[in-house]
Amino acid sequence: MTRLTQSQHWQRLQQYAANMLHMRQMFEDNPNRFSDYSLKRCDLLLDYSKNRINNSVLTELFALANEAGLTQKIKAMFHGDIINTTEHRAVLHTALRAAATDDIRVNGINIIPEVQATLAKMESFVNCVTTGQWLGYTGKPISDIVSIGIGGSFLGPKIVSEALRPYWNKNLRCHYVANVDGTALTEKLSKLNSETTLFIMSSKSFSTQETLTNTLSAKAWFLAQGAKQADVAKHFVAVSSNVAKATEFGIDADNIFPMWDWVGGRYSLWSAIGLPIALMIGMDNFRQLLSGAKAMDDHFQQADLSENMPVIMALVSLWHSNFYDAQSHVVLTYDHYLRGLPAYFQQLDMESNGKSVTLAGDPVDHATGPVIWGGEGTNGQHAYHQLLHQGTAIIPADFIMPLQSHNPLGEHHTQLASNCFGQTQALMQGRTYEEALAELADSDLTPAQKDLIAKHKHMAGNKPSNTLLMDKLTPKTLGTMIALYEHRTFVQGAIWDVNSFDQWGVELGKTLGNDILNRLSAAQDCNELDSSSNALINLFRNKQI
Ligand code: F6P
């Protein structure tokens, strides 16, 4: 057993889990449940009252956090300590939104001046492109941006830009290419004019196969359109921590925006990886995004655990994962602009906490990161909410909704809100057999049929959910919300004592894939491989099943 599961607080929580009242009962017993279990900070309101919690549970959860040294671990991260111990790196995405006057040191050097210089470089570039001063090889301004990157070099830019559609620069279009599938790039290039297209190649490592391949093909397309090698500098820029490789690749040194090894890919949208965001919403709004995240950083560092929004979200989620065997967590965004956010949180959380050994390398003896999934409300209600309501699994849900729409249209937003709130209420209270039977009282079914249908209409309820509200979706509130989830992920990793900032699990697939890549274009047999890989390779070679 690891230290965590030996904790008296862990063992007390196990006892509590077996004896909790139904949420419906807890609401009936305490008319103030909402005010007791909701929190308003940094322009967000978190309603966590529809969870299987009470004061005793929260007391033990906070005690577990204290026992894990959470407060010290928070300080260590913000201070720049080497907390990513397997890669010997600091974790300082928070420095990207720190005040210009801060002094945060890596290897004894204050990194804030370089962060600020990069923001200034971004601002100058954004202004140059958006005012039409940046001209292509035939003297025309840029009309289209193609952002090439994958993982955190794709999801952050794309999803945040999409979420902030109301703030877009009207004269620019931005396209995102991530997958190495040639269709992704081909479909984008077919609509573009090489004279007015600017490519942003985003790769922290500058060694990701998909991004290198896509950029080489984009460059080949560009030259095939009549441009010259000397014109590449006007149409290709790069964001990378590997400036040498980017230069070697042919990106003009002036067009390389630096990033740093103390920024994880899934935490990097606040860096120059966010260049497509800044181009689309403007640098002032990008700085608003940063300031929103900083507001949450300050709250996270300063608030007592019991009044700390990321800590509460993390602990309540951990409670359901570790004590109710909730193996997935669904994020339901009741706002069309936020439809991509679940995918962003998927990489953020699953690549951070999809781990099975502690920092010391000991196998964990409890669940760690759940599967994160989700989608746009109300669409999910017509797709997977059936399982949320009547399935056998407990799937905690986060409902996210701005109270004001950017596009007020008749009753639409009111209906959206009624669906959002109705779903959380139904998940919590369910429907008893007796209630279902009563609903059938006037039907012409026989008593036996009513009994049967009532059994099928019964809903256990007691299904946990959070509701996260903001007045309006703005760069600032979006930044605050994303930082909230970053810190939620941090807290869970800190309590589970895993390394939330490496990703060794993605290396093996890449290595084996590279070996198979060589075999696919060769002819020799692969009998030394497993029979499946051998067969699949041969089927691909023959392009026929
Ligand atoms: O999936 C592994 C990973 O390293 C992610 O963490 C990262 O966001 C993505 O690949 C892209 O990496 P890079 O920005 O170095 O190309």
Side-chain angles (χ1 to χ4, degrees):
M1 286 169 86
T2 56
R3 195 173 50 77
L4 182 60
T5 53
Q6 290 167 333
S7 161
Q8 57 165 329
H9 305 300
W10 182 279
Q11 288 162 14
R12 209 167 289 154
L13 286 165
Q14 283 176 318
Q15 293 158 14
Y16 289 158
N19 299 293
M20 290 298 290
L21 291 175
H22 193 290
M23 277 192 259
R24 193 187 253 206
Q25 186 63 53
M26 291 197 275
F27 272 100
E28 285 168 12
D29 294 347
N30 174 9
N32 300 319
R33 187 170 173 85
F34 167 77
S35 56
D36 290 348
Y37 300 119
S38 60
L39 186 65
K40 182 170 176 279
R41 293 288 187 283
C42 309
D43 298 332
L44 296 180
L45 181 127
L46 173 67
D47 172 9
Y48 59 104
S49 61
K50 295 193 181 91
N51 284 296
R52 298 184 177 188
I53 54 169
N54 58 27
N55 289 344
S56 305
V57 167
L58 289 176
T59 299
E60 294 305 323
L61 287 170
F62 291 131
L64 208 56
N66 279 319
E67 198 171 56
L70 179 61
T71 303
Q72 294 76 8
K73 290 180 178 178
I74 294 171
K75 284 192 176 74
M77 174 174 70
F78 280 89
H79 182 258
D81 292 6
I82 305 296
I83 63 170
N84 176 356
T85 48
T86 62
E87 295 179 301
H88 199 69
R89 292 172 178 172
V91 172
L92 279 168
H93 46 283
T94 51
L96 299 170
R97 58 244 191 174
T101 51
D102 278 1
D103 182 340
I104 301 170
R105 293 180 182 265
V106 172
N107 301 324
I109 297 168
N110 181 9
I111 58 172
I112 297 304
E114 193 176 0
V115 168
Q116 293 297 315
T118 304
L119 281 171
K121 181 180 172 76
M122 286 173 67
E123 183 145 32
S124 165
F125 175 76
V126 166
N127 293 340
C128 200
V129 170
T130 54
T131 57
Q133 294 171 61
W134 185 291
L135 302 177
Y137 66 97
T138 60
K140 294 176 183 169
I142 299 301
S143 61
D144 290 85
I145 304 290
V146 178
S147 174
I148 301 177
I150 198 163
S153 300
F154 158 66
L155 288 166
K158 180 177 188 295
I159 288 160
V160 169
S161 298
E162 193 176 77
L164 297 174
R165 177 82 179 74
Y167 299 86
W168 279 6
N169 178 324
K170 302 287 181 280
N171 305 321
L172 266 185
R173 287 178 299 275
C174 196
H175 317 271
Y176 296 88
V177 177
N179 197 341
V180 74
D181 177 344
T183 299
L185 182 62
T186 304
E187 286 200 342
K188 292 292 187 288
L189 295 179
S190 62
K191 301 172 192 143
L192 295 174
N193 173 358
S194 62
E195 297 174 58
T196 60
T197 297
L198 179 74
F199 294 91
I200 301 177
M201 193 263 195
S202 296
S203 177
K204 175 182 173 185
S205 61
F206 215 90
S207 62
T208 302
Q209 177 199 62
E210 298 93 331
T211 305
L212 292 173
T213 302
N214 276 322
T215 305
L216 281 170
S217 298
K219 194 170 159 184
W221 169 85
F222 177 71
L223 296 175
Q225 304 300 306
K228 301 282 180 293
Q229 182 60 39
D231 302 324
V232 168
K234 298 187 180 80
H235 293 265
F236 285 78
V237 302
V239 182
S240 185
S241 62
N242 195 331
V243 175
K245 265 195 172 177
T247 309
E248 183 190 323
F249 184 87
I251 304 286
D252 192 292
D254 290 342
N255 295 348
I256 299 173
F257 293 81
M259 60 184 290
W260 306 277
D261 69 6
W262 37 263
V263 179
R266 53 194 173 274
Y267 297 89
S268 64
L269 76 88
W270 323 96
S271 71
I273 290 287
L275 200 51
I277 304 168
L279 282 163
M280 292 313 292
I281 67 173
M283 204 59 198
D284 290 347
N285 283 321
F286 187 78
R287 290 182 188 277
Q288 279 295 308
L289 186 76
L290 296 176
S291 73
K294 179 168 180 355
M296 183 51 70
D297 293 344
D298 294 345
H299 166 67
F300 183 46
Q301 292 179 89
Q302 294 157 11
D304 293 343
L305 300 190
S306 60
E307 302 275 312
N308 196 307
M309 198 176 279
V311 173
I312 289 168
M313 281 188 86
L315 290 175
V316 170
S317 167
L318 182 145
W319 166 240
H320 292 119
S321 293
N322 291 129
F323 299 93
Y324 286 104
D325 193 29
Q327 296 179 21
S328 87
H329 187 104
V330 64
V331 178
L332 304 168
T333 51
Y334 277 70
D335 183 289
H336 185 61
Y337 290 134
L338 292 176
R339 60 192 180 278
L341 208 57
Y344 181 78
F345 291 153
Q346 202 168 57
Q347 184 203 10
L348 173 66
D349 204 78
M350 293 175 73
E351 198 167 73
S352 294
N353 289 339
K355 310 288 168 67
S356 52
V357 294
T358 63
L359 287 171
D362 301 321
V364 297
D365 58 356
H366 54 75
T368 54
V371 172
I372 304 291
W373 60 286
E376 179 181 359
T378 60
N379 302 24
Q381 295 171 209
H382 305 273
Y384 40 76
H385 280 222
Q386 164 59 38
L387 185 141
L388 299 182
H389 288 287
Q390 286 191 316
T392 53
I394 291 178
I395 303 180
D398 288 351
F399 287 80
I400 299 173
M401 196 188 81
L403 293 175
Q404 302 160 34
S405 169
H406 280 281
N407 302 293
L409 178 62
E411 284 292 290
H412 287 247
H413 200 62
T414 307
Q415 287 185 18
L416 185 69
S418 67
N419 276 282
C420 179
F421 301 159
Q423 289 296 309
T424 66
Q425 190 182 28
L427 286 168
M428 179 276 289
Q429 70 182 38
R431 172 170 52 204
T432 65
Y433 166 80
E434 292 72 20
E435 286 164 343
L437 201 58
E439 287 172 10
L440 298 167
D442 301 336
S443 75
D444 55 6
L445 298 173
T446 65
Q449 287 168 332
K450 286 178 183 175
D451 170 62
L452 177 65
I453 297 302
K455 284 171 181 168
H456 284 265
K457 291 182 75 173
H458 167 254
M459 293 164 67
N462 214 23
K463 307 270 187 174
S465 71
N466 294 312
T467 302
L468 187 67
L469 302 178
M470 65 207 74
D471 289 351
K472 194 158 191 172
L473 179 59
T474 66
K476 189 169 170 56
T477 53
L478 180 64
T480 300
M481 181 168 54
I482 293 174
L484 166 64
Y485 274 82
E486 286 180 341
H487 297 324
R488 173 191 179 281
T489 296
F490 173 85
V491 171
Q492 293 200 325
I495 293 173
W496 289 325
D497 195 31
V498 297
N499 183 344
S500 299
F501 303 101
D502 59 14
Q503 51 284 320
W504 300 112
V506 301
E507 304 305 323
L508 179 60
K510 289 181 184 176
T511 306
L512 296 178
N514 287 332
D515 171 59
I516 289 177
L517 177 63
N518 298 328
R519 294 171 185 270
L520 287 175
S521 44
Q524 84 273 22
D525 66 48
C526 303
N527 296 327
E528 76 281 13
L529 297 183
D530 64 272
S531 60
S532 166
S533 302
N534 185 3
L536 296 175
I537 287 167
N538 285 311
L539 286 166
F540 185 83
R541 283 173 178 167
N542 302 328
K543 297 289 190 296
Q544 275 188 319
I545 59 174

